[in-house]
Structure formats: C-alpha cells, structure tokens
Amino acid sequence: MTVPCVAVERERGETVRERLAEADALDGDHEIAVDGDAIYIPVVGLDAVPADLASTIVERDAAERDRPRTPAQILGYDPSLERLGDIVIVDEDDDERAREIADAVMTSDVPCETVLNRASPIEGELRVRRWDVLAGNGTETVHREYGHEFLLDVAEVYFSPRLATERHRVVEQTEPGETAIDMFAGVGPYAVPLASRGAEVVACDLNERAVDYLRENAARNGVADRVTAIAGDVREIGDEHAGAADRLVMNLPHSADAFLDTAVRLAGDDCVIHYYDIQHEDDPFGPGTRAIREAAGEGYAVAVETERVVRSYAPHEYNVCLDVRLTRP
C-alpha cells in the first residue's frame, strides 16, 4: 500500500522519528523501512509534519504493522500515561485504579521497566515531587531527546519531557561560539544541546543532585569541555559572569521575574533572553514584557522577537515564552 513517508538519511532517522512522534505525525499502522542510505518513516496528518521536513515527503509502499498490545486494549479504556525513558507515569488519585493501570502497562507491549504514580504536586524550592512505585524498583532512567541522552532521577530532580519541542526551538536559534547562560539548568536539557550546537554554556541550579546529573549528562553527550556546571543560586554568579551572555535561558516560569535584575547583569551588549512565564489567558505576554522592560531600564533597548504559547498550564492559564533581545544603545 502506498502511503506518505518522510525520507531522510539513515543517521538522522531516530532524531527525525522523535520529532515526528512529538508532533503526533507518525503513522503507527505502517512499518518504517530502510533502503540503502535512506530511511522512510510513514506519516499521517501531513499538516502536523514539521515545516522543515515537508519537502522530504514521498509516496512509498509500506508494510502494515502488527499492532502491539496496548494498555488500552487490556483495560478497555484509554488511561492517561506519560513516558520518560523506560518509566511510565500515571496520574491517578484512586490507588486501586492506578495499580490496575500499572499491571496493564507491564503486561502490554509498551517497553517499560517501572510504573510510577504521582504522590504529590511539585513541591519546594527544588521543584520535586513524591512518587508511588507501582511496578519495578527505581526512579532513575535515561531520557532520549533530539539525539541527546539525559540520566535523571525523577524523585530528586525536576524534568518535563513535554517541553522537548520548545527546548529544540531555542537550541535551533543558537550560533556556534555564543556564550549561553542557563540560569535554572536542572539536569541539562537546554545546556547540553546548546553546547552541542557549539555554544560555551554556564549552567546553574540550586539542586545539587541536578547539577551532578548535569555534569554526567554533559560528559555522556561529549560536551563536558563546553559546559560549566554550578551548584547554587544564580544570583551569586552575577559579578563573575557580568556582561558575558549572548543568550540567557530563564525557565522558571512561576518566579523568573524575581531574577530579571541578575539576567540584565549577565547580559552582554547584544543578548537574547528566553523568558518563561505563566499568566492568565487575558494577557499572557504583557506582565513578562513589562517586567523585562523595567529591569532593563535605560541600559538596553528591548525588542520582543517572539511571543509563544508553549502549552496550557491550568484553566485559563498559559505557560508562555518571550524571546526578547537586549541591545546596548
């Protein structure tokens, strides 16, 4: 049967497959095929295929897949699941239902070593949560994203796989030779790809365990020589790295505004800030824009280059990003 396929070089296959999966454009009913140096990945919903891959779409015969046995087929309903490496995460208040789902996940063909249930909201200054282990015996895993690997323990660090596309968007803007400062770096999902892109990266986080993982992840991705990992409050590095940044990542959406004075101190003569915020749908970008302009004062010209809704956060609230360029007059 002839179906539309994205055709790319074999070495790009896994990265492209991940991007298509993130965009919900993968055709799960047909087999991926390799022919010579090319890989052919069946796609559906052509409007969902990332724009830079649209020109690679070809029509090709593809074999139908033997569909794996899914948790939904076992349960008779579609549970809410999230994958993080070889961990599957459920979010159920009913313990009996959560364990029913965990049993179905482990019985299914889903590749999985551990099933966890959220036992608390994100808590405290380090933004971690408690977990109930429903199956398996660990909370550490390796998450793969756009060709990079991240070792992490979900019980000790904050990490959201849902931001993969947004992180990739920021990384794609980066030029080799830039100095980038990730002010709230976690285990390195921005810092490591930025360094792979050719930037010199300073990455800071309050969570010492997250910084341990960050250093490990920089090494396992071959960029340890371009990542300076610092455990501590980013406000304490303001003097040492003052005026150094060509690019700043401020992914602390509930309270990034409290660090804008530090961001301005770190900014170089021409610096892009990726500022993450959570605001009401009536004015999602205004509060952040006003806060950045106030912090920049007369020392910088401020130009908002992108206003982007990253995702819904809560009813009538959005997680948003502002890409803002600061330029010294």
Side-chain angles (χ1 to χ4, degrees):
M1 178 179 180
T2 299
V3 298
C5 297
V6 166
V8 293
E9 302 88 345
R10 290 179 62 178
E11 58 267 22
R12 294 178 57 204
E14 180 58 22
T15 298
V16 171
R17 190 201 64 78
E18 288 179 358
R19 291 185 62 196
L20 292 169
E22 181 71 24
D24 290 328
L26 276 181
D27 177 357
D29 292 326
H30 294 90
E31 294 281 1
I32 295 172
V34 175
D35 187 355
D37 293 331
I39 187 168
Y40 296 87
I41 307 173
V43 291
V44 293
L46 298 186
D47 290 344
V49 174
D52 63 308
L53 295 174
S55 63
T56 70
I57 296 175
V58 299
E59 291 289 328
R60 181 179 170 87
D61 287 337
E64 292 190 8
R65 290 185 59 190
D66 292 329
R67 299 290 293 178
R69 193 176 185 215
T70 67
Q73 290 172 327
I74 296 169
L75 293 164
Y77 61 87
D78 197 4
S80 176
L81 303 175
E82 183 175 3
R83 289 285 304 279
L84 181 59
D86 58 11
I87 292 174
V88 170
I89 296 169
V90 303
D91 190 6
E92 287 289 340
D93 293 332
D94 185 309
D95 184 65
E96 183 176 348
R97 181 180 166 97
R99 294 187 181 280
E100 177 184 65
I101 294 171
D103 289 343
V105 169
M106 297 302 288
T107 303
S108 76
D109 293 327
V110 172
C112 172
E113 296 293 331
T114 303
V115 182
L116 303 178
N117 191 24
R118 294 179 174 94
S120 77
I122 293 171
E123 298 174 327
E125 194 173 35
L126 301 185
R127 299 186 298 162
V128 296
R129 68 167 89 232
R130 289 175 281 112
W131 302 90
D132 288 332
V133 180
L134 303 177
N137 58 6
T139 52
E140 188 176 72
T141 190
V142 175
H143 171 71
R144 293 171 177 84
E145 182 175 301
Y146 288 99
H148 296 93
E149 292 186 351
F150 299 97
L151 178 68
L152 61 110
D153 187 328
V154 295
E156 297 194 58
V157 304
Y158 173 81
F159 188 90
S160 175
R162 298 177 184 178
L163 298 178
T165 299
E166 173 61 20
R167 290 190 280 262
H168 186 66
R169 183 189 73 87
V170 169
V171 170
E172 288 288 287
Q173 298 179 39
T174 305
E175 298 293 336
E178 288 187 1
T179 295
I181 300 180
D182 188 348
M183 297 173 63
F184 318 103
V187 302
Y190 282 96
V192 167
L194 286 169
S196 293
R197 187 82 174 175
E200 295 293 328
V201 181
V202 177
C204 190
D205 201 279
L206 271 179
N207 186 336
E208 292 187 6
R209 286 294 293 132
V211 174
D212 289 341
Y213 280 113
L214 168 58
R215 293 189 177 109
E216 165 67 21
N217 291 330
R220 71 164 48 216
N221 288 280
V223 294
D225 59 330
R226 290 198 295 278
V227 175
T228 300
I230 301 171
D233 191 318
V234 68
R235 288 171 288 204
E236 297 174 359
I237 72 169
D239 292 335
E240 181 181 356
H241 296 280
D246 302 303
R247 191 171 302 275
L248 289 164
V249 179
M250 301 186 70
N251 186 21
L252 192 68
H254 286 287
S255 53
D257 58 330
F259 295 83
L260 278 169
D261 288 345
T262 299
V264 171
R265 196 153 84 251
L266 294 170
D269 293 341
D270 183 15
C271 178
V272 174
I273 298 177
H274 303 285
Y275 177 87
Y276 292 89
D277 202 0
I278 291 174
Q279 293 294 341
H280 194 273
E281 63 184 7
D282 290 344
D283 187 17
F285 305 109
T289 300
R290 290 188 289 272
I292 293 170
R293 291 189 184 280
E294 181 179 353
E298 297 181 359
Y300 286 94
V302 178
V304 178
E305 297 187 338
T306 305
E307 296 178 340
R308 174 177 166 81
V309 174
V310 177
R311 58 175 175 166
S312 294
Y313 179 76
H316 308 294
E317 288 191 328
Y318 292 134
N319 179 191
V320 301
C321 182
L322 290 161
D323 297 342
V324 180
R325 186 175 294 274
L326 303 187
T327 309
R328 290 193 191 276

